[in-house]
Amino acid sequence: MKKTYKIDVDCANCAGKMEAAANATPGVKEAVVSFMTLKMKVEFDEGAQPQAVMEEVRKNCKKVERDCEIFL
Amino acid sequence: MNKKQKKLLGRILAAAALLVLLHFLPVEGWPRFVLYMVPYLLIGHDVLSKAWYGIRHGQVFDECFLMVVATLGAIVLGLTTDGDYTEAVAVMLFYQTGEWFQSWAVDRSRRSIGALMDIRPDYANLETEDGLEQVDPDEVEPGTVIVIRPGEKVPIDGVVAEGTSSLDAAALTGESLPRDVGPGETVLSGCVNLTGVLRVKTTRAFEESTASRILDLVENAAARKAGAENFITRFARVYTPAVCLGALAVAVVPPLVRLAALGLAPQWSVWLYRALSFLVISCPCALVISIPLTFFAGIGGASGAGVLVKGANFLETLAKTTCVVFDKTGTLTRGDFTVTEVTPAALDREALLETAALAEIASSHPIAKSVRAAWGGEPDRRRVTDIREHSGRGITARVDGRTVAAGNRRLMEELSVPCPIEDPEVGAVLHIAVEGQYAGRLTIADQVKPTAREAVAALAKAGVAETVMLTGDVESAARQAAGALGISKVFSGLLPADKVAKVEELLTARPGGGAVAFVGDGINDAPVLARADVGVAMGAMGSDAAIEAADVVLMDDDPRKLPQAMAIARRCMAIVRENIVFSIGVKVLCLALVALGLAGMWLAVFADVGVMVLAVLNAVRALWGKKPG
């Protein structure tokens, strides 16, 4: 399953860090962050709960970049 | 400017003013330190807190952290040596200025690209008892009748139920010539209604409509990253730690060498200063920001010209395409039949066309349609009686009381009408006999698009080494079309599966050494579109299959869009290369100068902020593609 989320982040490098953090979160098969469109596209693992996974993703992203936001 | 940016700008200006003021204040010692800390904290407090947050979460190479180390280091140096804190405050000030500018510039380009693609309709008009009601287009069910007044955008795809008008499709196709529509014709969302009121019965939901799909596509394009982008991401990951290690080496190695090997004073503070300057240069932001921004601007610029590029990677491939494979029908030719030759024998030209058109009056065959279109007169059913279809051969009928036969050579043979002229090699032939006497023939063929030749020439000029035409047609027709267009290679008589095989052959041979592009009309050639390095669908406005299958979509059916798209792609890639070379080059140069002591933290700040500003400005150039011709 694939979903797209709106995000907010200030710099391109930070967007790259968010992408890495999201990809490292269990339940995420692949995450792509586009800094230009401020969107995160997430493909979930089979059977994962998107809502729960995205809470984790947000937490992990906030760890690497405090001023980021993912609108769930 | 948003609120965040305004606040930051305020802080920048206040800190800068304070810094200038303090420069003229004759304070020494501790009071001086305290006074300078005011602008430092004013401008840098959020950076400090972010750095602290980063350390706690194991983000050691965070740019905030590096900036804090560099500036705090400079302050400590100031405390222990000459009491100069200006540099620390200024570096923080410039860093924040850079952040502000980056945020502003990216915002601006986001918005100007957005404006370029401003095809999203905001509302739809529903007709109710109290007149028109504006509703969210999302809520309109397919099959609803909506009203579009002059000056409004078509919100949802549909069919005109009532009214005539002209539509401006420039936002979709880049074509500025308005198109006239009337009842029964399809209208696509994103077009602007220019002249009359239209009542349109919607055929799709809003999110399925052309405008929504196109926007979705362009926005998602950014998710497919180009090789250059991935290179930069990898580079950034190595660059920052490498520079930090370099900084450590600069701080420690030269003093120790001086002390141990050369027997000189170690000059700890000099080398520490240089190491701190290194840290300022360590942020890879200029690179990381400018490359995706360039691609985004390139994709935006292309969509403004009616070319949808579905990913930055395809822009990259398009730029290095050296072999373009065309499908013939519908791509280089119109894909419909027209009478190309009238050869009268017994009747004159006009009478021959009229007789043929009347005989074909009831037929829905494409050839019959083309004959009626070529005649152009008003068909009067009363003049025609006894119409009989001879399957696979033609038609016989009585026109104005005379027996007329219109069909192929076999029909003529069956009616024992001798055909005096050989059939031409190209196209279909319609022989006409009146009262058993041969009257002449019409040649009907698919016509080459008027701009196709120009497009092929433009491709050759743009460095495409080989143009190839694939077609299911017979060889003679294919050769003739290719000759007229200046296409170098032709493969004819191909089935759809053969086309895939041919493209695969070309992918192995790689004429010109670059990528292979396939251009089709999206009908029946989806597998080929998918197989080529870059699949280009043409004339795709409203055709879902084509939009789905292709990597690059030309919104109208003008083949000249292809060289134009390639020009945009090349320009974009040139800017990407410029930015990569420029920003890495300047950073390396500055690192060298700083290590040698020829430059201080000021130059380091330029390497960080200045380069980023220039790279961003350069990137935005990709938005404005060169106009063709």
Side-chain angles (χ1 to χ4, degrees), chain A residues 19 35-36 39 62 65, chain B residues 50 53 110 219 225:
Chain A
E19 186 175 285
F35 176 59
M36 289 316 303
K39 277 189 181 147
K62 291 230 174 207
E65 174 59 31
Chain B
K50 258 179 103 170
Y53 180 87
R110 263 196 205 115
E219 282 186 354
K225 290 179 182 170

Side-chain angles (χ1 to χ4, degrees), chain B residues 13-56:
Chain B
L13 293 177
L18 267 175
L19 197 59
V20 172
L21 195 71
L22 287 177
H23 185 72
F24 296 104
L25 229 58
V27 198
E28 293 299 323
W30 282 103
R32 183 181 167 85
F33 169 74
V34 172
L35 278 177
Y36 269 92
M37 279 311 100
V38 175
Y40 179 74
L41 289 176
L42 174 67
I43 193 69
H45 65 86
D46 55 338
V47 178
L48 283 164
S49 89
K50 258 179 103 170
W52 174 236
Y53 180 87
I55 299 168
R56 286 210 327 252

Side-chain angles (χ1 to χ4, degrees), chain B residues 135 137 167 170 266 280 302:
Chain B
V135 297
L167 293 182
V280 176

